[in-house]
Structures are given as structure tokens and as C-alpha cells.
């Protein structure tokens, strides 16, 4: 009896210990540092000053707003593209759709930094060649102005994440009972009607998971941002994570950067909770 | 029965013998370890890691008890990686530091190098770049020249004699001539300014911000304001670049600007110094001697303008491991005073040495010789861009000038924003 009781603890305690050590403790230390003027080597307590300055810092607000815009656009696009991919590969069961599954998922296997460099080559060199060959101004000077820089990161991120989100949608699409669809077909429903009135409502839990994943990931985006534009041109594509890193390790304002990190944490938490609550309601 | 006993006895004997041999080994290796020293060298210039490793091997061959472990981290990540080393308690013994702001961060860890044999020989106008609290804690890695690198072949095709360009109006004339004959001489544009890189933008800005400090880098580091004394010339040059550069200027990057645009004669000038020598000669042997020349910026415009000469990087020794300090000092002395080390430095790293009384004829190309003469002359001027506050280059000056290049900000706004950011960063970092 005694052994059984302790067996549970023996399994859980090591994991709890490491979570405490690696996540909880640094997190608490981080909260403390957000109230100091730490430069990485020395620090002293300065109260709420970092937060006061932060809300007047135009660069911080700018990169925060950019991140919100980016998250909004990429969450919508990733879910649309991911769902479209899922519908394509589940529509038939043949060799083509099977290989498409692999192809759509492949970008997810490559690391963010590498993807960034690959797309940088595409946007600058390949696009430049297309522009020169066909005299298309649309392909000229990508990543060299704020709007192409922004859309460049969106395209890269959508390309990377859609395959992953596709997997989630596939599993939920396959779980839809076949008989409901057959019944609809017998009643004379068109393909669009089947999609909107039968498949979509049953995909609600898939939306909850996918939205949560894409939202959290796009708020925290860093390495794709670093490899593709590195914040350029003139810091116009510097997202919040990159702003925090640069403030901490380039400017050495680590207490200040920590305060920005806390704000980011609060925002991701609040947004995620709202989103979860809303989609759960719809699911129910 | 008897046989078996012998077998066991033999086995036991061999086992114990091997044990003795093994323990003997470990004893002797332990003894060796006590006198063996491993120096940790933190390098922030990835392009010369191989040569540093070669120097380390050469030194190890002469001093078998000293091993030199080189850790390289550069291109933006160096400063953070170095901080991580100190924070984790594994402070390197020899560290490469970029400018006084970085030296200042580690000043409590650095020892005074004033009595070092290597320090006595340093080119005078580079000394102040390694001084913290009146102690000499850093010695320059090399002597670098800042100005325009021009392609001699392109200039010759346009019929321009670079030695006859001695003031701004003559420079302007040459630029206009190059531009009007673009097609004939086969260039895409006059300038290949890599507008994407904030570091190059900063080193060019030094042409206009260094003169007021007159080689006193400590003063430049302590200055609370950004010097605008030569802003008219600064604006002139930026406007000129804006007009005659490869477009779009912000997508021109360092590597392609050197290895493609400049090397292939697609542009006539790029704002780089002698650090492009190894790359160019790596692409084609003898290219530098044949094609590379340098022109100064005409700022004072009174005939005394020269290439700026300074060192971006300084070496320091930490006091975190007192036992290894002497070995670290010996290694640095060897690097800066022995002929064999110098040969690697000038012929393989292609550095111009930062030491006095160097025999110029040993340098492998004319440009290096010219730079050494300018750098050791009485009117040598050091650039101050490495003394800007941490982050000022990448987070303020660079982005604002990039914005100016694409007409996203007026000169007046640029001045206002740059000055404000400079003051703010300086105040935070000096802890005031």
C-alpha cells in the first residue's frame, strides 16, 4: 500500500523538479529583473520605471503593433491554407494525394533559420531574376521596403506552418462519420453545402487547437524574422521577440528588455485565454 | 586440476599487471596535467579563426605545455556569447573586444597590460582605444583603413587618375564622369554602398564624426552628444551615394557588394577598407595588387584628408584565472613580437600590423604598405564608430540613415532622432 502511494510521487517528482528548475524559477527571477535596471552584469531595483518608459517607447509600440498585425494576418492565412490542403488531400485516396501530404508537410521539417535563408534567396535573387526576365515590377526589390518585408515574413511563416495545421485538420476530417455525408448526398446537397453545413461545424474543435497553436507561435516568432530580414529595412520588420532580444543583448538594457518580455507574456496569455474561451463556447 | 590453477593464476597476474600499468598511466598523466595549461581565447572575428588556430598550433609546438582553445562567435552574436561565458563562470583568458563600450562592460575583469612587451610597440594613435580608467587593458588586433575602396581597372577605363583626386569637387567630378560613361566602362552604378548593413553605415559615419575627438577615443566614448560638426559634408556624401548607387540601395548586402559587384567591376567604389583584401585575393590571386586602391573622404577639404586608420578590435587578458595569466601574456607577446607569428598575420590574415617600427617591405601588397605609412604618420586619424554606445549602430544610426536613403525621413528629423537616441543609450549604459 505504502509503495503504491509513493510510486505516484516517484514518477511525478523528477518532472516537477525539472519544470521548477528550468521554467518556474527563471520565470520568477525574470519578473524580479523587470523591476531593475540590470545591464547583465550589475542591477539595482527601480520599481515600475521600466514599464512606464516602455509605454512611451515608440519603437516598442511599433514592433508590438507589427506583431499584432502579423499574428492576425498569418493566423487567418495559415488556417485557410492548412484547411485547403487538408481538403485537397482527403478528397481522394490515391498516389497523388498521398505524395501531396508529404510535400505539404515537408517545410515544417526544416528549421526556421534555414527557411529564412532559403526564402531570402528566393525573394532577393530569384525574384530579381524574374523581374529582369519578364519586366515585372512586382518582383523587384523584395525585402527592401517595409511592406514587402512584412509580406515576406508572412509568406514564409504560412508556408512553414500550413503543413502542420493541415495534419490537425486531416485527423478531424477523417473522424467525421461517413454516414452523415452520405445522407446529405442522398438528400441532394451540393459539395459546398456539405462543406459548410456538415464538415465545418464538426471541425470546431480542430479550429480551437489550430488557432491556439498558430496564435501563440506567431506572437513568439523570432528565428524566421532574424534569418529573413533581421528587422530590416530600418527596423520596420522588427517583431516583438526580436525587439526584446536586441534590447537585451545588443543595447544591454536587460531589465528593460525583461519588462518587455513580461508584457509579451501577459499579452499571449490573455489573447490565448480569450480565444480558447470563445472557441470552446462554439464547440459546446 | 593443476592446469586450471595455473590458468587462473596467470589470469590474475595479467589482470593485476594491467591494473598497475593503467594506474601508472593515470598517475603520470595527472602529473602532466598539473603543469599543462589550456588558455581559452575568445575570438569575435570568424573570418580569421583558421589562422588563429594555426598560430595556436605553432605556439603549442614550441611550448608543448600550453594549449590554446579558440572559441569563435561573431557577426552580431559575439557580445551576447561573451556575456554568457562570464555569467556561467567560464571567463575566457584572452578576449577580443570591440571598442571601449565593450571593454567598459568587462573592465573589472581585465588586467593592466602596460608592462607587456607587446604593448610598448603599439602604434600611438591606437593606444587610447584600449584604455579604461587610465589603465591600458586592450591592445589593438590590427591596423585598418577606412575610406572608399576603388577598382583601379574601372578608373583606368574611364580615364581617371585617382592620385589627382585631392578634394571634394575633384571627387565629385570623377563620380559624374564615371556615371556618364557607365555603359562604356561596363558598370551598373558608380557606388556599391551596401545599404543593408548598419555596420558599414556606421564606419562611414565615422568619417564625419572622428575629427572633433582628434584621436582621443576615451573622450569619444565619454561624449554625451553626437558630434554634428561636419554634418554638411556628411549630408553631401549621403546624397551623392543616394543618387549614384546600385538600387534599391537597401537590398545591397556586404558579401555580394564585395564578391560580386566590386570584384567583377560592376561598381567603381565601395565604402570598405583593407579587410576585403583576403576575400578578393581568395577569389583571384594577385587581384588586390592589380586592382584595389583606396581613396579618403574629403571632409576638411583642405588637402590634409587621409584615410582613417584604426582598429575595430582589441585583445585583453582577464584576471579570473590567475594561474593562466602569465601564459596568456607570453602568448600575446609572442603574437606581437615574433617574426613567425607576424608572417602568419601579414601573409595569411592579410592584416596590417598595429606595431611601430615594422619593416614595410615585408607587407605583401602596395595598399597594405600605404596604409601602414598613413597609420603610423603624425597626422593619422582614428575612426570613432566603435565608441558609439552599444546598440547605437544597429538600433538607431543605421536604421535612421537607411530611412534617409529611401527618403523616409528628412535630414532635420534624422539629426533630432539620432541625437536623442545617442544621449539616451549613453546615459543608460554609463549607469547615470
Amino acid at each position: 500500500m505504502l509503495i503504491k502511494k509513493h510510486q505516484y510521487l516517484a514518477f511525478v517528482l523528477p518532472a516537477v523538479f525539472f519544470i521548477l528548475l528550468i521554467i518556474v524559477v527563471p520565470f520568477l527571477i525574470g519578473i524580479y529583473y523587470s523591476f531593475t535596471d540590470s545591464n547583465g552584469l550589475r542591477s539595482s531595483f527601480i520599481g515600475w520605471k521600466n514599464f512606464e518608459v516602455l509605454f512611451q517607447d515608440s519603437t516598442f509600440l511599433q514592433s508590438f503593433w507589427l506583431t499584432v498585425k502579423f499574428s492576425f494576418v498569418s493566423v487567418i492565412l495559415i488556417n485557410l491554407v492548412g484547411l485547403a490542403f487538408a481538403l485537397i488531400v482527403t478528397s481522394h485516396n490515391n498516389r497523388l494525394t498521398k505524395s501531396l501530404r508529404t510535400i505539404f508537410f515537408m517545410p515544417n521539417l526544416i528549421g526556421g533559420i534555414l527557411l529564412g535563408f532559403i526564402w531570402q534567396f528566393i525573394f532577393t535573387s530569384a525574384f530579381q531574376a524574374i523581374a529582369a526576365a519578364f519586366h515585372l515590377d512586382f518582383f523587384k526589390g523584395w525585402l527592401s521596403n517595409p511592406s514587402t518585408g512584412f509580406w515576406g515574413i508572412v509568406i514564409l511563416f504560412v508556408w512553414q506552418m500550413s503543413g502542420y495545421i493541415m495534419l490537425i485538420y486531416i485527423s478531424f476530417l477523417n473522424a467525421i462519420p461517413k454516414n452523415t455525408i452520405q445522407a446529405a448526398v442522398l438528400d441532394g446537397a451540393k459539395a459546398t453545402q456539405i462543406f459548410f453545413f456538415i464538415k465545418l461545424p464538426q471541425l470546431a474543435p480542430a479550429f480551437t487547437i489550430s488557432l491556439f497553436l498558430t496564435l501563440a507561435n506567431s506572437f513568439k516568432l523570432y528565428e524566421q524574422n532574424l534569418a529573413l530580414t533581421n528587422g530590416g529595412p530600418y527596423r520596420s520588420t522588427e517583431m516583438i521577440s526580436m525587439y526584446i532580444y536586441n534590447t537585451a543583448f545588443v543595447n544591454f538594457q536587460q531589465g528593460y528588455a525583461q519588462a518587455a518580455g513580461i508584457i509579451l507574456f501577459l499579452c499571449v496569455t490573455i489573447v490565448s485565454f480569450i480565444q480558447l474561451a470563445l472557441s470552446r463556447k462554439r464547440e459546446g | 586440476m593443476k592446469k586450471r590453477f595455473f590458468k587462473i593464476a596467470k589470469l590474475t597476474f595479467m589482470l593485476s599487471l594491467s591494473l598497475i600499468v593503467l594506474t601508472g598511466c593515470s598517475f603520470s598523466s595527472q602529473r602532466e596535467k598539473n603543469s599543462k595549461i589550456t588558455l581559452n581565447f575568445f575570438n569575435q572575428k570568424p573570418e580569421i579563426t583558421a589562422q588563429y588556430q594555426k598560430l595556436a598550433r605553432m605556439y603549442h609546438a614550441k611550448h608543448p605545455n600550453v594549449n590554446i582553445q579558440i572559441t569563435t562567435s561573431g557577426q552580431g552574436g559575439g557580445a551576447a556569447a561573451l556575456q554568457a561565458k562570464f555569467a556561467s563562470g567560464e571567463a575566457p583568458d584572452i578576449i577580443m573586444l570591440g571598442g571601449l563600450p565593450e571593454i567598459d562592460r568587462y573592465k573589472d575583469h581585465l588586467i593592466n597590460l602596460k608592462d607587456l612587451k607587446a604593448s610598448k610597440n603599439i602604434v600611438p594613435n591606437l593606444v587610447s582605444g584600449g584604455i579604461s580608467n587610465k589603465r591600458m587593458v586592450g591592445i589593438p588586433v590590427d591596423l585598418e583603413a577606412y575610406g572608399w575602396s576603388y577598382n583601379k581597372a574601372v578608373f583606368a577605363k574611364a580615364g581617371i587618375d585617382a592620385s589627382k583626386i585631392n578634394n571634394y569637387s575633384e571627387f565629385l567630378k570623377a563620380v559624374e564622369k564615371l556615371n556618364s560613361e557607365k555603359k562604356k566602362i561596363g558598370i551598373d552604378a558608380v557606388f556599391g554602398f551596401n545599404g543593408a548593413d548598419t555596420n558599414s553605415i556606421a564606419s562611414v559615419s565615422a568619417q564625419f564624426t572622428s575629427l572633433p575627438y582628434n584621436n582621443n577615443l576615451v573622450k569619444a566614448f565619454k561624449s554625451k552628444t553626437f558630434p554634428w560638426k561636419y554634418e554638411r559634408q556628411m549630408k553631401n556624401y549621403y546624397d551623392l551615394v543616394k543618387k549614384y548607387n546600385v538600387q534599391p540601395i537597401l537590398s545591397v548586402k556586404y558579401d555580394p557588394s564585395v564578391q560580386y559587384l566590386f570584384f567583377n567591376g560592376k561598381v567603381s567604389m565601395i565604402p570598405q577598407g583593407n579587410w576585403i583584401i583576403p576575400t578578393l585575393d581568395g577569389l583571384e590571386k594577385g587581384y588586390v595588387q592589380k586592382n584595389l586602391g583606396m581613396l579618403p573622404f574629403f571632409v576638411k577639404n583642405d588637402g590634409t584628408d587621409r584615410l582613417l586608420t584604426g582598429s575595430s578590435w582589441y585583445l585583453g587578458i582577464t584576471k579570473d584565472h590567475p594561474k593562466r595569466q602569465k601564459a596568456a601574456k607570453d602568448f600575446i607577446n609572442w603574437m606581437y613580437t615574433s617574426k613567425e607569428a607576424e608572417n602568419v598575420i601579414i601573409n595569411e590574415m592579410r592584416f596590417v600590423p598595429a606595431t611601430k617600427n615594422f619593416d614595410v617591405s615585408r607587407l605583401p601588397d602596395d595598399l597594405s604598405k600605404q596604409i601602414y605609412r598613413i597609420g603610423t604618420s603624425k597626422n593619422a586619424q582614428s575612426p570613432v564608430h566603435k565608441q558609439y554606445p552599444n546598440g547605437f549602430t544597429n538600433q538607431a544610426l543605421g536604421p535612421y540613415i537607411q530611412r534617409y536613403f529611401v527618403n523616409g525621413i528628412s535630414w532635420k528629423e534624422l539629426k533630432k532622432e539620432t541625437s536623442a537616441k545617442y544621449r539616451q543609450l549613453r546615459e543608460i549604459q554609463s549607469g547615470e
Side-chain angles (χ1 to χ4, degrees), chain B residues 289 342 345-347 350-353 358-373:
Chain B
Q289 179 68 4
E342 279 174 355
I345 289 170
I346 61 172
N347 294 322
R350 299 299 291 273
F351 279 175
V352 177
F358 190 81
D359 178 10
V360 186
S361 64
R362 281 172 65 198
L363 293 172
D365 58 274
D366 288 345
L367 181 63
S368 298
K369 288 175 191 167
Q370 186 198 350
I371 290 168
Y372 186 79
R373 282 193 203 103

Side-chain angles (χ1 to χ4, degrees), chain B residues 201-249:
Chain B
I201 290 175
S203 72
V204 169
S205 79
Q207 300 282 351
F208 313 99
T209 57
S210 303
L211 291 172
Y213 299 115
N214 195 24
N215 285 326
N216 189 340
L217 298 179
V218 177
K219 201 171 139 198
F221 166 62
K222 294 219 163 125
S223 170
K224 291 261 187 279
T225 52
F226 188 80
W228 290 106
K229 192 178 170 198
Y230 293 99
E231 68 160 300
R232 193 174 47 80
Q233 288 87 331
M234 194 170 178
K235 187 172 178 300
N236 284 345
Y237 268 102
Y238 286 146
D239 289 340
L240 200 65
V241 166
K242 210 155 111 177
K243 198 167 163 194
Y244 296 118
N245 201 66
V246 175
Q247 297 294 342
I249 183 165

Side-chain angles (χ1 to χ4, degrees), chain B residues 21 93 149 233 247 284 300 354 369 394 397:
Chain B
V21 171
D93 302 296
S149 284
Q233 288 87 331
Q247 297 294 342
E284 183 191 321
K300 284 181 281 178
K369 288 175 191 167
N394 317 94
L397 181 70

Side-chain angles (χ1 to χ4, degrees), chain B residues 76-267:
Chain B
L82 185 58
Q83 193 200 335
K85 286 255 172 204
F86 275 96
S88 68
E90 288 171 39
D93 302 296
I94 303 173
I95 50 180
M96 188 187 277
L97 297 161
L100 289 170
E102 202 170 30
I103 288 177
D104 189 64
R105 287 175 62 72
Y106 301 106
K107 62 183 175 208
D108 300 335
H109 293 270
L110 295 167
I111 62 167
N112 197 339
L113 303 176
K114 196 169 150 274
D115 298 322
L116 217 62
K117 204 168 127 204
S119 321
K120 299 207 166 92
N121 223 8
I122 296 302
V123 172
N125 78 324
L126 299 186
V127 171
S128 70
I131 291 201
S132 173
N133 284 348
K134 301 199 167 107
R135 298 182 312 142
M136 183 177 183
V137 294
I139 52 176
V141 168
D142 66 333
L143 188 67
E144 288 165 338
Y146 298 80
W148 288 108
S149 284
Y150 68 90
N151 190 318
K152 284 183 188 167
V154 171
F155 267 45
K157 264 191 249 171
I160 295 168
D161 182 357
S163 67
K164 296 232 169 71
I165 301 176
N166 290 311
N167 57 46
Y168 186 73
S169 60
E170 282 165 9
F171 181 75
L172 195 64
K173 237 182 258 163
V175 169
E176 275 161 1
K177 189 166 187 216
L178 283 162
N179 186 58
S180 65
E181 296 179 13
K182 245 184 349 194
K183 284 235 168 72
K184 199 184 108 199
I185 51 181
I187 53 173
D188 293 348
V190 179
F191 299 113
F193 194 108
N194 47 326
D197 300 303
T198 49
N199 287 337
S200 293
I201 290 175
S203 72
V204 169
S205 79
Q207 300 282 351
F208 313 99
T209 57
S210 303
L211 291 172
Y213 299 115
N214 195 24
N215 285 326
N216 189 340
L217 298 179
V218 177
K219 201 171 139 198
F221 166 62
K222 294 219 163 125
S223 170
K224 291 261 187 279
T225 52
F226 188 80
W228 290 106
K229 192 178 170 198
Y230 293 99
E231 68 160 300
R232 193 174 47 80
Q233 288 87 331
M234 194 170 178
K235 187 172 178 300
N236 284 345
Y237 268 102
Y238 286 146
D239 289 340
L240 200 65
V241 166
K242 210 155 111 177
K243 198 167 163 194
Y244 296 118
N245 201 66
V246 175
Q247 297 294 342
I249 183 165
L250 298 191
S251 48
V252 184
K253 295 207 161 70
Y254 175 78
D255 282 333
S257 82
V258 177
Q259 298 173 15
Y260 174 73
L261 292 173
F262 186 79
F263 178 76
N264 292 319
K266 297 274 180 203
V267 295

